[in-house]
């Protein structure tokens, strides 16, 4: 008989005010064949003690206390500790409706699916809630042919929604443990704090044969109060970590037969993530200094760079490269080099420079085109010329 147990993995970090409601929503599920794993990720409040108290009351609960390592690490350790065939995640400050796991496990087992995905409620308070459902992926079972035709081409970027076609949030999805563990193993050692769900779900879909989609909603995702920034936006290395996320997924997608579509979607997702900072939370001091985003998605870490342009865009790029580290500016040039000081040289010196890329750091498409043509005439290889600063793509 097929094992029908479900591991509920709950990463816990400093959520003492919400944790009892979270744990009790799992304990009270109508589906009782559960393995409940609470991963205390180095909490500094009473969260760890609360986990232990609940473990004494319910023998389905296992508690792991570990040094703080972030969500990727906590999820990996929790799934590694689990023994169930199926896994679902739950954030320590969220909660679920009593029938959630029974309903979704019924779909998982009944359709022999590799993944079941559902919807959620974004919860600010009793009078402020919003439903989130995948409206551009049809309800029902998708076999491999349908996954390739109807999900993969829109999962990260859907033209109609100008966002993803399939919500990557991992907490209202059931996974097969074996496929999930493969994905989590490949993420070990990464430390980005934004995009963890996407880094699990989208590669997982590429390896899935059967996906069942429902728009039923059981999950309550607690939102921060308006104006409160999440920790990753306050991270001084935010852009560097976001690029680490981008580089990871690009490395996965480059091996796929669908790589052209996937990388195109990923580029747009990357830009959306940067825009999201300003549109949802306003311009922070950090973003104010970086109104033009360096095209990290087109330039490999470790590259030697000639930066062409010393105006607003060029200065923004120069600062970002210095903060990101792992890049070397071998030459900074501008036609008006005389007014920018000794660090900026004449464009003619590019012929003498050692570089992997020449980045055109200007906002004007007309000027970019003119400089591109001049560089080609100088002997710069076309594939080494990268544009940056176009407002429609890089201005955030």
């Amino acid at each position: 008989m097929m094992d029908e147990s479900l591991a509920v993995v709950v990463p816990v970090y400093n959520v003492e005010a919400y944790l009892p409601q979270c744990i009790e929503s799992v304990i009270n599920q109508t589906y009782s064949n559960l393995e409940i794993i609470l991963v205390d990720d180095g909490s500094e409040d009473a969260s760890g003690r609360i986990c232990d108290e609940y473990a004494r009351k319910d023998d389905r609960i296992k508690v792991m206390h570990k040094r703080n390592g972030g969500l990727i690490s906590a999820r990996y350790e929790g799934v590694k500790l689990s023994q169930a065939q199926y896994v679902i995640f739950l954030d320590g400050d969220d909660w679920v409706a009593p029938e959630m796991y029974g309903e979704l496990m019924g779909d998982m087992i009944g359709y022999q699916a590799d993944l079941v995905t559902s919807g959620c409620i974004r919860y600010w308070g009793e009078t402020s809630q919003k439903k989130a459902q995948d409206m551009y992926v049809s309800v029902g079972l998708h076999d491999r042919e349908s996954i390739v035709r109807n999900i993969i081409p829109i999962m990260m970027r859907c033209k109609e929604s100008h966002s993803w076609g399939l919500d990557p949030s991992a907490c209202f999805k059931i996974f097969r443990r074996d496929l999930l563990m493969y994905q989590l193993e490949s993420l070990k050692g990464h430390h980005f704090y934004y995009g963890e769900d996407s880094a699990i779900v989208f590669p997982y879909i590429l390896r899935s044969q059967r996906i069942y989609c429902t728009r039923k909603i059981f999950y309550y995702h607690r939102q921060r109060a308006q104006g409160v920034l999440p920790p990753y936006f306050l991270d001084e290395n935010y852009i560097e970590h976001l690029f680490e996320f981008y580089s990871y997924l690009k490395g996965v997608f480059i091996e796929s037969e669908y790589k052209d579509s996937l990388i195109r979607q990923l580029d747009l997702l990357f830009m959306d993530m940067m825009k999201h900072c300003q549109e949802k939370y306003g311009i922070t001091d950090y973003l104010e200094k970086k109104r033009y985003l360096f095209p990290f998605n087109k330039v490999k870490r470790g590259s030697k760079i000639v930066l062409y342009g010393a105006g607003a865009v060029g200065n923004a790029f120069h600062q970002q490269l210095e903060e990101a580290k792992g890049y070397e500016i071998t030459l900074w040039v501008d036609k008006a080099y005389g007014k920018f000081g000794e660090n900026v040289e004449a464009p003619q010196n590019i012929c003498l420079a050692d570089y992997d890329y020449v980045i055109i750091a200007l906002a004007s498409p007309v000027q970019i085109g003119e400089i591109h043509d001049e560089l080609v005439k100088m002997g710069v290889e076309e594939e080494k010329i990268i544009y940056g600063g176009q407002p429609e793509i890089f201005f955030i």
Side-chain angles (χ1 to χ4, degrees):
M1 180 178 177
M2 182 177 291
D3 178 10
E4 297 183 358
S5 61
L6 173 66
V8 183
V9 176
V10 186
V12 174
Y13 181 69
N14 291 353
V15 286
E16 62 180 4
Y18 310 114
L19 189 55
Q21 181 184 21
C22 171
I23 297 173
E24 287 174 16
S25 75
V26 179
I27 292 173
N28 295 323
Q29 287 290 300
T30 58
Y31 193 85
S32 60
N33 192 2
L34 301 177
E35 181 186 21
I36 305 167
I37 299 176
L38 309 178
V39 183
D40 171 25
D41 191 34
S43 295
E44 298 168 339
D45 62 2
S47 294
R49 177 178 56 78
I50 293 170
C51 290
D52 291 334
E53 289 175 355
Y54 274 97
R56 286 192 287 269
K57 299 175 185 177
D58 193 319
D59 59 12
R60 296 175 299 174
I61 296 177
K62 300 177 184 177
V63 179
M64 169 185 285
H65 299 282
K66 61 183 287 293
R67 180 181 298 178
N68 180 254
L71 186 59
I72 291 174
S73 168
R75 284 176 168 174
Y76 171 76
E77 295 297 339
V79 176
K80 186 178 177 183
L81 181 63
S82 71
Q83 297 179 330
Q85 183 175 348
Y86 302 102
V87 177
I88 195 165
F89 296 112
L90 172 60
D91 288 343
D93 52 353
D94 297 339
W95 74 99
V96 293
E99 68 276 16
M100 178 174 181
Y101 299 153
E103 290 264 1
L104 297 187
M105 280 296 286
D107 295 331
M108 194 77 178
I109 301 298
Y111 292 101
Q112 298 182 6
D114 297 322
L115 179 73
V116 169
T117 180
S118 59
C120 81
I121 290 176
R122 312 291 184 195
Y123 181 90
W124 288 268
E126 286 297 324
T127 60
S128 181
Q129 305 177 24
K130 182 181 179 180
K131 293 181 179 179
Q133 299 161 297
D134 293 326
M135 303 306 296
Y136 300 98
V137 175
S138 61
V139 170
L141 182 66
H142 295 261
D143 61 13
R144 184 61 189 174
E145 181 182 353
S146 179
I147 293 169
V148 170
R149 184 177 65 250
N150 299 315
I151 296 181
I152 291 175
I154 66 164
M155 61 184 184
M156 286 180 289
R157 181 75 178 199
C158 177
K159 184 167 59 176
E160 288 78 11
S161 68
H162 301 290
S163 182
W164 52 61
L166 190 145
D167 192 324
S169 300
C171 289
F172 34 97
K173 295 173 174 60
I174 293 185
F175 303 86
R176 266 181 44 193
R177 184 187 182 279
D178 55 345
L179 290 178
L180 178 62
M181 200 65 201
Y182 175 91
Q183 190 54 42
L184 293 174
E185 287 279 1
S186 73
L187 274 169
K188 274 199 313 183
H190 286 280
H191 301 288
F192 46 82
Y193 305 111
Y194 187 38
E196 304 102 324
D197 286 357
S198 295
I200 293 172
V201 171
F202 293 137
Y204 186 99
I205 287 173
L206 295 181
R207 303 182 69 241
S208 297
Q209 298 299 315
R210 294 166 68 86
I211 294 175
Y212 186 83
C213 298
T214 177
R215 295 194 184 120
K216 292 180 180 179
I217 292 177
F218 312 99
Y219 191 93
Y220 290 80
H221 180 30
R222 195 183 303 275
Q223 306 293 297
R224 291 174 178 82
Q226 191 163 354
V228 177
L229 284 167
Y232 44 76
F233 286 159
L234 301 176
D235 178 7
E236 63 181 11
N237 296 314
Y238 170 74
I239 288 181
E240 184 177 1
H241 287 148
L242 185 55
F243 180 59
E244 182 183 353
F245 157 78
Y246 173 90
S247 299
Y248 170 77
L249 275 185
K250 186 172 183 179
V252 173
F253 294 158
I254 203 73
E255 302 297 325
S256 170
E257 59 184 302
Y258 316 112
K259 63 182 178 182
D260 291 342
S261 170
L262 291 168
I263 292 175
R264 183 168 59 251
Q265 290 180 67
L266 179 61
D267 285 348
L268 293 169
L269 176 64
F270 178 82
M271 295 306 165
D272 282 347
M273 285 177 162
M274 291 305 305
K275 291 176 183 177
H276 180 73
C277 299
Q278 179 178 351
E279 291 170 358
K280 187 170 184 180
Y281 297 101
I283 301 175
T284 65
D285 291 340
Y286 180 76
L287 288 175
E288 184 70 31
K289 299 173 185 176
K290 296 176 169 58
R291 294 175 66 87
Y292 292 93
L293 173 65
F294 182 82
F296 289 107
N297 58 316
K298 296 182 180 180
V299 181
K300 297 178 181 177
R301 184 177 296 276
S303 298
K304 297 177 180 178
I305 294 167
V306 170
L307 194 58
Y308 196 126
V313 183
N315 273 282
F317 285 6
H318 194 278
Q319 180 183 350
Q320 290 170 48
L321 288 168
E322 287 191 330
E323 291 182 1
K325 301 181 176 54
Y327 303 89
E328 180 183 353
I329 301 175
T330 58
L331 184 65
W332 194 3
V333 304
D334 193 286
K335 286 184 177 180
Y337 63 95
K339 71 177 186 179
F340 291 114
E342 60 183 18
N343 291 332
V344 181
E345 302 181 23
Q348 291 82 350
N349 292 345
I350 293 174
C351 297
L352 306 175
D354 179 21
Y355 61 87
D356 299 304
Y357 298 100
V358 177
I359 310 297
I360 304 177
L362 295 166
S364 166
V366 174
Q367 290 181 300
I368 288 170
E370 292 172 351
I371 290 172
H372 168 272
D373 294 343
E374 292 171 8
L375 290 171
V376 172
K377 288 179 182 178
M378 289 170 58
V380 178
E381 298 173 32
E382 190 113 31
E383 59 269 22
K384 293 187 175 183
I385 302 173
I386 303 292
Y387 310 144
Q390 300 98 312
E392 69 273 17
I393 299 178
F394 296 103
F395 188 72
I396 59 174

